[in-house]
């Protein structure tokens, strides 16, 4: 197999367009996360890939073969559902061996495969149990083992961690990633949790309102967001509206040095990550007066909430990163390095201006 | 004084709120009323089943097993043996089993499709189906009687549209004759087991939908989808995922409708040939009809009741066995 390719895939439900002309290539053996807020179309896209929904237009190619019209049961794509969708009338072993039983594999072969997969997900002692006797994490592992039993060409996971508690979710993210790397299966995970996507994915597809906003590695997406939506959805950022001026941006009466690639006078949104703003004495451009309004110590991170001439701003310092210590009411200066400023066109302001 | 001791002391000092008033009497009164209304008629029927018919008159209280003997081997046993009443019981079971299975098996795909409609469409269908329950058995049978009657119903339609001739041409008419569904000239549904079972099935079909609806609407659709992604086609999904998931409600619905249909009277009297009448019809004939033999009618009622109970017990056992497997 040489990757899965989506060409102009769209899906409409009545008058609502859930997915709009999506073009994507999923590289072989890589884990890709479809990331976006609820209702952005990521699950619909995954269901179209699985063959559970028919696209309204566009095509899906697998290894150069058009599989758009191929029904789900002929695609050989393993899928883990949000609810895990395990069969309660079957034991754990029979759940795992289900695809082998229905494909006519011999009992011995099915039993051996189930045993191997249960070993893989560390549930070898649970084969005879009923699904109702398992914890959330164990159920998820059974669902993964079951989906892997048919040796799928593409492995799909629809919000697989959403039913797990926070601690277990973190553990399972790492486990799932290690398993995927070991097996080398092309994997697509749907999630709305950016931390989950950053932990597991080789590549992230950020979606909003049915369209792909950006595709890239986790580092790319975080450090070089293509637009304000991505900058806002991935991680935290301070946002300010302004207009471009020669050599910088004007926000209200304040001019910031930056290098926007827009025509002067263009309405823009400026974003700066909390960890890129500095409360230090180093000389440089874009130094603003600030007053500390709130301090939040989260253990590994300390957040300073500031009131500046631009408006409220959050600055973050990691533990051991140095920097001064402030208390509420302290007057200081915040430095916004020009290279840390992300400048995006502001379509809303442009529409309002028209 | 510990908290526990204090609570105990408070409880002891508190005056009893209720005396032997209405609240205490009410449960006893309700129990008595239920006993009177439900158990006493059963006990009376059982007692009457041991009674004796007086020739030319009514019947008298007694304790004789002659009625039970008559039911199983005939009144002239041991000189002569007849299984007429067992045969009637057999027809009761035959009609009820086939009609309940037909109702459940046809209601199942319909209800499954119903659960996939929009909420609004589901509500409209359910209201329609529920309202059809208000039709009496007599009304429904009358409708089917007209529909299947030889002169004005489907047979007349078959003849006028040339369908009868076509059936004769293709050779299927003889098959219908072999099945007792045609006279030498035209198709004929009355009297026939086909018409009896069809009408009985129609009678309970709305019940089947309503009994299956809760279980089917609770079905986790993602389980079927998971099966599909694992290579299961439509029939495999139904066989390995949907049917096991609704096995219990499916079995329970069939059993309930079966027991309900054991007592069908009007449909059998209208559509079944007299030689193929059921125990329910025989009970009525004995108690209220021409025979005026209440003890024997009561005996048949008791045996029908026990048979239904045995079926329920057997069904329960079968279900347990299947679950254990």
């Amino acid at each position: 197999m040489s990757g899965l390719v989506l060409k102009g895939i769209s899906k409409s439900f009545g008058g609502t367009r859930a997915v709009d002309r999506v073009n994507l290539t999923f590289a072989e053996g890589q884990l890709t996360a479809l990331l976006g807020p609820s209702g952005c179309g990521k699950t619909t896209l995954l269901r179209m890939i699985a063959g559970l929904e028919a696209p309204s237009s566009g095509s899906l190619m697998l290894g150069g073969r058009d599989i758009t019209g191929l029904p789900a049961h002929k695609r050989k794509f393993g899928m883990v559902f949000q609810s895990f969708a395990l069969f309660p009338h079957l034991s754990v072993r029979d759940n795992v061996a289900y695809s082998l039983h229905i494909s006519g594999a011999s009992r011995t072969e099915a039993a051996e495969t189930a045993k191997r997969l249960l070993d893989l997900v560390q549930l070898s002692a649970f084969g005879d149990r009923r699904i109702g006797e398992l914890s959330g994490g164990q159920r998820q592992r059974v669902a993964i083992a079951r989906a892997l039993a048919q040796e799928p060409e593409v492995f799909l996971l629809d919000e697989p961690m959403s039913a797990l508690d926070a601690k277990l979710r973190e553990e399972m993210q790492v486990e799932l990633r290690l398993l995927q790397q070991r097996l080398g299966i092309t994997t697509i995970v749907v999630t709305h949790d950016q931390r989950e996507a950053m932990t597991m994915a080789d590549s992230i597809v950020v979606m909003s309102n049915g369209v792909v906003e950006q595709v890239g590695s986790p580092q790319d997406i975080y450090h070089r967001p293509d637009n304000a939506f991505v900058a806002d959805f991935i991680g935290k950022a301070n946002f300010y509206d302004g207009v471009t001026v020669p050599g910088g941006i004007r926000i209200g009466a304040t001019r910031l040095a930056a290098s926007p690639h827009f025509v002067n006078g263009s309405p823009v949104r400026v974003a700066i990550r909390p960890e890129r703003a500095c409360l230090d004495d180093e000389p440089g451009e874009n130094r603003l007066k600030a007053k500390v309004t709130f301090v939040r110590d989260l253990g590994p991170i300390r957040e300073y909430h500031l009131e500046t001439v631009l408006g409220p701003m959050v600055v973050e310092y990691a533990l051991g990163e140095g920097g001064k210590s402030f208390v509420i009411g302290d007057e200081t200066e915040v430095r916004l390095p020009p290279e840390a400023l992300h400048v995006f066109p502001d379509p809303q302001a442009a529409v309002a201006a028209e | 004084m510990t908290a526990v001791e204090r609570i105990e002391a408070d409880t002891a000092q508190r005056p009893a709120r209720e005396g032997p008033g209405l609240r205490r009497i009410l449960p006893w009164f309700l129990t008595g009323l239920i006993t009177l209304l439900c158990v006493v008629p059963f006990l009376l029927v059982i007692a009457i089943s041991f009674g004796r018919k007086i020739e030319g008159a009514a019947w008298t209280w007694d304790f004789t097993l002659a009625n039970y003997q008559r039911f199983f081997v005939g009144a002239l046993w041991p000189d002569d043996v007849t299984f007429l009443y067992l045969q009637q019981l057999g027809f009761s079971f035959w009609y009820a089993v086939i009609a309940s299975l037909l109702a459940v098996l046809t209601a199942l795909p319909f209800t499954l499709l119903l659960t996939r409609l929009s909420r609004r469409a589901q509500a409209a269908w359910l209201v329609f189906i529920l309202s059809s329950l208000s039709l009496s058995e007599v009304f429904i049978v009358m409708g089917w009687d007209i529909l299947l009657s030889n002169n004005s119903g489907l047979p007349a339609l078959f003849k006028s549209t040339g369908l009868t001739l076509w059936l004769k041409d293709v050779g299927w008419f003889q098959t219908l004759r072999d099945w007792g569904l045609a006279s030498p000239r035209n198709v004929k549904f009355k009297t026939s087991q086909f018409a009896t079972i069809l009408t009985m099935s129609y009678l309970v079909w709305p019940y089947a939908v309503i009994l299956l609806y809760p279980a089917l609407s609770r079905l986790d659709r993602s389980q079927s989808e998971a099966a599909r992604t694992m290579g299961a086609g439509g029939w495999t999904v139904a066989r390995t995922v949907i049917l096991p998931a609704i096995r219990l409600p499916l079995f329970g619905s069939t059993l309930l409708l079966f027991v309900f249909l054991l007592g069908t009277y009007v449909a059998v009297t209208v559509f079944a040939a007299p030689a193929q009448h059921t125990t329910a019809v025989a009970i009525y004939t004995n108690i209220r009809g021409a025979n005026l033999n209440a003890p024997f009618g009561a005996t048949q009622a008791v045996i029908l009741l026990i048979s239904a109970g045995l079926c329920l017990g057997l069904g329960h056992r079968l279900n347990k066995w299947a679950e254990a497997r």
Side-chain angles (χ1 to χ4, degrees):
Chain A
M1 193 205 81
S2 58
L4 176 72
V5 181
L6 312 186
K7 290 181 181 170
I9 288 284
S10 295
K11 177 72 185 178
S12 299
F13 295 103
T16 311
R17 180 151 277 210
V19 175
D20 194 8
R21 287 163 292 176
V22 167
N23 294 293
L24 285 172
T25 298
F26 299 94
E28 188 178 355
Q30 289 217 330
L31 194 152
T32 307
L34 300 180
L35 178 65
S38 296
C40 72
K42 55 191 187 300
T43 294
T44 306
L45 187 63
L46 191 83
R47 288 174 62 82
M48 283 192 282
I49 294 169
L52 298 171
E53 299 278 357
S56 303
S57 62
S59 60
L60 285 99
M61 312 291 288
L62 181 70
R65 191 165 52 103
D66 190 343
I67 58 161
T68 316
L70 203 65
H73 66 277
K74 291 188 176 163
R75 289 198 183 188
K76 215 180 172 195
F77 287 5
M79 184 158 172
V80 174
F81 289 73
Q82 195 170 354
S83 62
F84 306 139
L86 297 169
F87 306 135
H89 59 282
L90 298 179
S91 67
V92 167
R93 184 178 294 108
D94 288 342
N95 261 280
V96 174
Y98 178 83
S99 61
L100 300 163
H101 284 144
I102 61 167
S103 68
S106 70
R107 278 179 175 274
T108 322
E109 188 192 339
E112 278 172 8
T113 307
K115 184 180 177 306
R116 182 170 51 79
L117 286 165
L118 286 172
D119 282 344
L120 187 75
V121 295
Q122 298 163 20
L123 283 176
S124 41
F126 294 79
D128 293 324
R129 290 214 187 165
R130 290 265 160 181
I131 298 303
E133 296 167 353
L134 302 181
S135 69
Q138 289 165 339
R139 284 179 201 201
Q140 194 214 33
R141 290 179 201 196
V142 176
I144 291 169
R146 187 181 67 170
L148 292 174
Q150 59 176 331
E151 294 176 2
E153 291 188 83
V154 179
F155 188 30
L156 310 170
L157 299 103
D158 184 7
E159 308 232 12
M161 316 286 174
S162 62
L164 309 180
D165 61 57
K167 190 169 181 293
L168 190 58
R169 196 181 309 160
E170 299 260 330
E171 288 171 13
M172 290 307 292
Q173 284 165 9
V174 176
E175 270 194 45
L176 185 62
R177 176 57 170 158
L178 290 173
L179 184 69
Q180 188 271 335
Q181 282 177 331
R182 203 177 339 154
L183 299 173
I185 303 175
T186 307
T187 304
I188 305 169
V189 181
V190 160
T191 179
H192 62 265
D193 182 345
Q194 53 122 341
R195 193 179 165 88
E196 190 172 302
M198 304 277 282
T199 307
M200 297 196 296
D202 295 301
S203 173
I204 295 176
V205 176
V206 184
M207 291 184 70
S208 158
N209 293 323
V211 298
V212 172
E213 298 282 354
Q214 188 174 352
V215 183
S217 69
Q219 294 302 312
D220 265 350
I221 298 270
Y222 187 81
H223 294 295
R224 287 173 288 282
D226 275 356
N227 54 45
F229 173 82
V230 176
D232 191 21
F233 191 74
I234 307 288
K236 287 183 277 187
N238 300 289
F239 282 94
Y240 306 98
D241 292 329
V243 291
T244 51
V245 291
I249 304 140
R250 183 167 49 75
I251 300 168
T254 309
R255 186 187 176 284
L256 294 179
S259 48
H261 305 289
F262 303 106
V263 178
N264 286 336
S266 301
V268 290
R269 293 209 85 192
V270 179
I272 182 159
R273 299 283 186 202
E275 70 276 12
R276 298 300 305 275
C278 309
L279 296 170
D280 56 25
D281 297 329
E282 282 182 33
E285 295 175 292
N286 301 341
R287 295 193 70 86
L288 307 172
K289 287 197 178 302
K291 185 178 180 182
V292 178
T293 56
F294 185 67
V295 179
R296 188 158 74 142
D297 201 332
L298 298 167
I301 286 168
R302 175 172 278 201
E303 270 182 15
Y304 294 106
H305 292 235
L306 311 172
E307 190 55 53
T308 70
V309 67
L310 303 181
M313 186 181 293
V314 178
V315 177
E316 231 177 56
Y317 274 90
L319 185 70
E321 205 182 358
K324 291 182 191 171
S325 191
F326 297 95
V327 294
I328 295 173
D330 281 356
E331 302 273 351
T332 181
E333 277 194 346
V334 61
R335 182 170 61 87
L336 309 177
E339 67 278 9
L341 295 176
H342 300 286
V343 185
F344 309 111
D346 188 351
Q348 282 181 343
V351 168
E354 282 171 15
Chain B
M1 186 185 270
T2 66
V4 172
E5 286 166 347
R6 203 162 48 241
I7 290 165
E8 280 173 353
D10 283 354
T11 312
Q13 284 164 14
R14 199 180 299 151
R17 279 188 198 163
E18 300 155 10
L22 189 65
R23 276 192 148 186
R24 282 197 175 179
I25 294 168
L26 198 64
W28 289 104
F29 173 74
L30 287 174
T31 309
L33 193 68
I34 289 165
T35 310
L36 192 72
L37 294 177
C38 299
V39 180
V40 169
F42 274 118
L43 293 177
L44 272 175
V45 171
I46 292 168
I48 294 168
S49 74
F50 296 107
R52 187 163 45 83
K53 160 99 171 112
I54 300 168
E55 287 308 321
W59 59 277
T60 182
W61 296 104
D62 200 348
F63 187 80
T64 170
L65 294 174
N67 294 321
Y68 287 91
Q69 175 203 311
R70 184 182 171 193
F71 186 92
F72 289 108
V73 287
L76 301 176
W77 186 83
D79 299 331
D80 192 17
V81 178
T82 172
F83 298 117
L84 173 68
Y85 304 108
L86 276 175
Q87 200 180 12
Q88 284 176 342
L89 186 65
F91 275 115
S92 293
F93 273 70
W94 168 246
Y95 293 149
V97 165
I98 302 298
S100 55
L101 279 175
L102 188 65
V104 169
L105 291 179
T106 51
L108 178 63
F110 172 82
T111 317
L112 201 58
L113 290 174
L114 180 67
T115 57
R116 290 175 184 178
L117 296 177
S118 66
R119 282 275 159 204
R120 203 171 164 169
Q122 284 187 40
W125 270 106
L126 286 174
V127 167
F128 174 70
I129 288 164
L130 278 170
S131 63
S132 75
L133 293 177
S134 63
L135 298 175
S136 74
E137 185 186 346
V138 177
F139 189 87
I140 291 170
V141 171
M142 193 177 80
W144 278 96
D145 190 17
I146 295 166
L147 191 67
L148 300 177
S149 71
N150 295 333
N151 297 325
S152 58
L154 283 177
L157 186 74
F158 271 50
K159 198 166 191 177
S160 62
T161 56
L163 202 57
T164 306
L165 267 179
W166 180 78
L167 286 169
K168 283 179 179 173
D169 288 345
V170 295
W172 292 352
F173 192 80
Q174 189 53 45
T175 312
L176 289 176
R177 282 203 71 187
D178 295 343
W179 291 348
L181 292 174
S183 67
R185 281 179 295 279
N186 197 5
V187 291
K188 170 186 79 75
F189 300 116
K190 277 179 68 182
T191 55
S192 68
Q193 290 192 16
F194 169 75
T196 312
I197 288 170
L198 194 67
T199 313
M200 285 170 75
S201 180
Y202 180 87
L203 273 171
V204 293
W205 197 82
Y207 291 103
V209 173
I210 285 160
L211 287 168
L212 291 174
Y213 179 76
L216 289 173
S217 60
R218 278 198 306 270
L219 261 185
D220 184 357
R221 211 169 156 185
S222 62
Q223 286 180 6
S224 302
E225 290 177 342
R228 283 169 61 198
T229 62
M230 285 185 282
W235 169 239
T236 310
V237 171
R239 186 171 54 81
T240 59
V241 179
I242 297 175
L243 286 177
I246 57 162
R247 184 174 52 85
L248 203 60
L250 200 66
F251 190 72
S253 304
T254 312
L255 213 57
L256 200 69
L257 297 183
F258 161 73
V259 171
F260 179 79
L261 284 172
L262 279 178
T264 310
Y265 175 79
V266 186
V268 178
T269 50
V270 171
F271 292 112
Q276 295 174 345
H277 276 186
T278 59
T279 302
V281 175
I283 292 169
Y284 181 83
T285 311
N286 278 308
I287 293 178
R288 302 289 301 170
N291 295 0
L292 276 180
N293 189 348
F296 188 56
T299 303
Q300 287 174 304
V302 169
I303 290 170
L304 191 63
L305 182 75
I306 291 169
S307 308
L310 284 174
C311 282
L312 286 173
L314 190 69
H316 181 67
R317 272 290 180 89
L318 270 173
N319 193 48
K320 284 267 177 196
W321 175 74
E323 205 170 304
R325 281 191 74 195

